[in-house]
Amino acid sequence: MKLSAVDSGFRKAARGLTRKRLRVHAVLLAVCAWSVIGADFATPGLLDRAGNIKFQDFLQFYISAKLIRQGRVDQLFDQQVAAAELQAIIGQPTKVRLPTVYGPQVGLFVFGFSRLSFFAAAMLWVSVSVLAYFGCCYLVWKLCPNLRASRSLVWAAAVAFPPFFHFVVRGQIAILILVCFVAAFFAFRSGSDFLAGLALGSLVFKPQFLVAIPLILLGAGAWKSFAGTAIAAAGQLGATWLYFGTAVMRAYAHTLWHIPRSLALAEPAFSQVQMHSLRSFWLLLVPWPSLSFTFYLVSSIPILALAILSWRSPGSLGLRFSVLVFAAVLVNPHLFVYDLLVLAPVLLLLTDWVVGNPSHPAADRVSVLLYLAYLLPVLGPLALLTRLQLSVLAFVALQWTLFIILRREADHLTTDPGGAA
């Protein structure tokens, strides 16, 4: 059968993505990224060579934990208090502004770290998070039989994964999100849909990730998973409310509602280009906020529809879970590059599928799109010039391609009596 021009292009590009070449790309990316980071962080004190605070994002978690430990929970979302605490930690004048935008329960997650100095606490947090990241990658990799012979490539790619070094440098808590998704995948794999829902509902500390997931589970009629998600989310929020009180939760809700203003205050020049979802895609492309928000809502509908139909299909869990994660990423209204750490297990699962199905009509397309989804977040800052976030286009293309694969699998099971059995 004659291939279309698009399929021929994907086939040609896929043939260039040999294991040897991919290993070289991963090693070069890792060496370049971590060398730059090492040189940047090689200065004494808390400031790097660019004058930024090392592990800067960890400051808001550390300050929240410190305020909780000191019994000052009423000041958790007081931005003047946050600025004063930041100034005290740095010990010198700084223009850095880092408003607290996470739920008060996050301060409890890192409560024990607040007993250390900021730099020691950040180093310990990052060290534990790095171990957890590689642990999650290892657990998923063990489920990928077609990647057993590519051990060195897998680990080189894990080290070079762009969201990974952004996550480390910033001292972020994206590892908690990754753990929730990996736990959900393993629960789904064991048939424990309710437990999978509990894992997904635990993401409520980062509520942006729960914009799409409950809608997908509800639309797909996945009642056990939906119930687990709702119970976990309500339980975490309820416990947080009981612990901190109404005034703190009201302040958190106000902060969450005005989060774009807080993000612009923290990173006025780079907040949008470091984001990789439909919301940021349209914000960059359309200069009118109301219109861009309308485009975001409208474009989210087909993404959710594809995810619902994919989740209802009888296809392989790895493909269906990948669609779920991509939908959670794309519909997320405020997703930064370090949050893309959640794609690590998806990239492993889909790469395993490609290697195990080399003759599948969509294998070349998935292979090339995976490469782009992995690499394009590095080029995010180029959107300052182009106003086009290419990573989002790659994610959407993968979402559509996976849906087509799952639909064909469902058609095959329907027409094949043996498969239907």
Side-chain angles (χ1 to χ4, degrees), residues 69-136:
R69 183 167 57 85
Q70 295 176 346
R72 300 159 61 192
V73 296
D74 58 315
Q75 300 176 353
L76 281 173
F77 295 97
D78 187 323
Q79 305 307 340
Q80 291 184 340
V81 171
E85 291 291 333
L86 186 152
Q87 188 70 45
I89 290 171
I90 303 304
Q92 64 185 73
T94 177
K95 295 182 179 180
V96 173
R97 292 294 180 268
L98 204 64
T100 301
V101 296
Y102 284 79
Q105 69 269 41
V106 175
L108 293 177
F109 292 163
V110 299
F111 182 84
F113 293 84
S114 67
R115 299 183 182 279
L116 304 173
S117 67
F118 167 73
F119 190 73
M123 285 289 293
L124 181 59
W125 172 259
V126 167
S127 299
V128 172
S129 299
V130 167
L131 291 175
Y133 167 71
F134 285 112
C136 288

Side-chain angles (χ1 to χ4, degrees), residues 37 41 46 48 52-61 98 118-124 126-127 167-172:
I37 292 168
F41 272 40
L46 289 177
D48 62 18
N52 298 312
I53 303 168
K54 298 173 183 176
F55 309 117
Q56 180 169 297
D57 285 8
F58 190 71
L59 275 165
Q60 60 180 307
F61 314 127
L98 204 64
F118 167 73
F119 190 73
M123 285 289 293
L124 181 59
V126 167
S127 299
F167 149 72
V168 170
V169 169
R170 291 171 176 262
Q172 259 290 336

Side-chain angles (χ1 to χ4, degrees), residues 149-388:
S150 305
R151 183 193 300 262
S152 60
L153 172 57
V154 167
W155 295 115
V159 172
F161 192 33
F164 175 55
F165 55 76
H166 278 283
F167 149 72
V168 170
V169 169
R170 291 171 176 262
Q172 259 290 336
I173 60 168
I175 188 60
L176 299 177
I177 305 169
L178 176 63
V179 168
C180 288
F181 274 107
V182 170
F185 175 74
F186 275 87
F188 279 128
R189 187 171 179 272
S190 66
S192 304
D193 289 4
F194 179 74
L195 292 180
L198 290 179
L200 292 172
S202 299
L203 290 165
V204 74
F205 69 89
K206 187 91 167 180
Q208 301 94 316
F209 271 100
L210 288 184
V211 173
I213 291 174
L215 295 175
I216 294 169
L217 297 177
L218 185 62
W223 305 115
K224 291 182 180 179
S225 303
F226 177 78
T229 301
I231 289 171
Q236 186 182 131
L237 288 177
T240 304
W241 198 306
L242 287 174
Y243 186 91
F244 290 100
T246 300
V248 172
M249 295 302 289
R250 186 181 293 117
Y252 170 53
H254 180 270
T255 299
L256 201 61
W257 182 257
H258 296 285
I259 196 170
R261 184 188 307 169
S262 299
L263 295 176
L265 178 64
E267 294 182 277
F270 293 100
S271 61
Q272 290 183 12
V273 297
Q274 290 291 358
M275 298 169 73
H276 299 265
S277 68
L278 288 171
R279 179 71 174 118
S280 57
F281 179 85
W282 291 115
L283 278 171
L284 284 166
L285 200 58
V286 181
W288 302 282
S290 297
L291 187 58
S292 68
F293 185 71
T294 301
F295 282 138
Y296 158 64
L297 291 179
V298 172
S299 60
S300 294
I301 294 173
I303 295 298
L304 292 171
L306 291 177
I308 290 170
L309 293 173
S310 298
W311 196 252
R312 292 173 61 182
S313 76
S316 64
L317 175 62
L319 297 182
R320 293 189 297 117
F321 186 76
S322 297
V323 171
L324 179 73
V325 176
F326 273 118
V329 165
L330 285 167
V331 180
N332 190 317
H334 301 291
L335 181 135
F336 279 85
V337 60
Y338 46 76
D339 292 320
L340 293 178
L341 201 71
V342 301
L343 293 182
V346 167
L347 296 178
L348 284 170
L349 293 169
L350 293 180
T351 302
D352 182 70
W353 181 88
V354 169
V355 176
N357 297 272
S359 60
H360 194 285
D364 293 332
R365 186 185 295 258
V366 175
S367 179
V368 174
L369 290 174
L370 280 176
Y371 181 81
L372 293 176
Y374 177 95
L375 194 61
L376 284 176
V378 175
L379 305 180
L382 284 179
L384 279 175
L385 301 176
T386 65
R387 312 303 295 178
L388 192 64

